[in-house]
Amino acid sequence: MAQVQVIKVNKSTMAKMQAYYTKNQLNKTIPYAQFAAKVGSTTITAYTSGKVVFQGPAAETEAAKWGTAESKTAGTSKKSTTLPANFSQLSVLGSDEVGNGSYFGPVTVCAAYVDKTMIAKLKALGVRDSKELTDPQIRQLSAVIKKLIPYKLLIVEPEKYNQIQPKYNAVHMKVALHNQAIYLLLNELAPVKPEAILIDQFTPEANYKKYVKSERNQVSEKLYFVTKGEQYHVAVAAASIISRAAFLEELDKESKELGVTVPSGAGTASDKVAAQLLKKGGIELLSQYAKLHFANTEKAKKLAGK
């Protein structure tokens, strides 16, 4: 059964969403809709009332980028644990990921530890939600952040992603990656222990805990889950920036290797580049650079006449 997520957003968030999904927007008119878009196999319909409906396999993931779901057909509506008082001033390990909704490029997950003594310095540098930063700013900040704080970055290249994906759905894969990045960073920090671990929420807490049970090195203590985690602690913002910079670097690498600009997202530009790769080296070549289970693959085959 397809997942359905519904969120309510204000005008400011709606404008950000429309800009964010520009390359993915569908050229069709829906009554009372401000815009409609498609990311992979997931459709997003934003209505003038402020209600946004996400439908498809990555509905949870996409909706979690913008707000808390009002209703869903999968998981649970149970609210995450309330954060401790003065949370933004605690020593926190935060984690975030990038690339799950992009056809080309990897999935990057970063866990970053910010000791309370570093909070003011990072904020002074401009460390905040990566969606508010330009790509050049993200690259520059990431290089600085990585010199200042402990972090663990995991990069799953498309070829590896395609091998894992049949066994792990998108949410399960992210649970495994977040858990592993946090586990590895905790080991490096020992004997220092963060006062809390904050995961930028991409699935209900109960769902996360269900999937993490199948992981060998489970981290379960001091875990908190909130959407838009970067607003609650700079550690998540730092993790988001490092993840995004790594994603951009990998896209640059792919572009250089292929001699063509590889786009982010999952819009028509991705279909066209994928069709070029299919003509050049078939599905074997495409599998090295793209997440094959996305709907873009079938669209590219049609464009390439395959």
Side-chain angles (χ1 to χ4, degrees), residues 118-185:
M118 291 297 296
I119 293 171
K121 184 167 187 175
L122 289 177
K123 287 186 175 179
L125 286 169
V127 177
R128 59 189 189 278
D129 183 359
S130 64
K131 293 189 188 77
E132 297 176 6
L133 302 167
T134 64
D135 286 351
Q137 286 175 319
I138 285 168
R139 294 174 193 268
Q140 188 177 13
L141 269 175
S142 176
V144 175
I145 294 167
K146 288 194 284 188
K147 292 176 183 175
L148 294 175
I149 62 170
Y151 70 95
K152 178 58 66 174
L153 174 66
L154 301 180
I155 300 175
V156 182
E157 301 284 4
E159 194 166 16
K160 182 68 174 175
Y161 180 98
N162 291 325
Q163 292 170 9
I164 299 170
Q165 190 271 324
K167 291 178 282 185
Y168 281 64
N169 64 37
V171 175
H172 190 177
M173 192 184 301
K174 287 204 293 182
V175 169
L177 290 169
H178 275 264
N179 179 76
Q180 182 68 357
I182 292 166
Y183 171 78
L184 292 172
L185 184 55

Side-chain angles (χ1 to χ4, degrees), residues 17 48 50 53 90 101 106 118 164 169-171 199 204 254 269 300:
M17 289 182 73
T48 50
V53 180
L90 300 180
M118 291 297 296
I164 299 170
N169 64 37
V171 175
I199 295 175
E254 289 190 1

Side-chain angles (χ1 to χ4, degrees), residues 2-56:
Q3 291 181 16
V4 178
Q5 301 278 295
V6 182
I7 64 172
K8 188 78 182 286
V9 300
N10 57 30
K11 287 182 180 179
S12 173
T13 302
M14 179 71 79
K16 287 180 184 176
M17 289 182 73
Q18 191 159 4
Y20 183 80
Y21 292 116
T22 298
K23 294 179 181 177
N24 306 98
Q25 285 186 25
L26 301 172
N27 188 22
K28 65 177 182 178
T29 305
I30 299 171
Y32 307 108
Q34 187 154 329
F35 72 89
K38 192 162 188 177
V39 176
S41 300
T42 300
T43 56
I44 301 123
T45 309
Y47 293 93
T48 50
S49 63
K51 190 165 282 191
V52 186
V53 180
F54 299 79
Q55 291 177 287

Side-chain angles (χ1 to χ4, degrees), residues 290-303:
K291 303 175 183 79
L292 295 182
H293 70 100
F294 277 44
N296 301 77
T297 301
E298 293 306 313
K299 293 176 186 176
K301 285 178 181 178
K302 289 177 183 176
L303 287 174

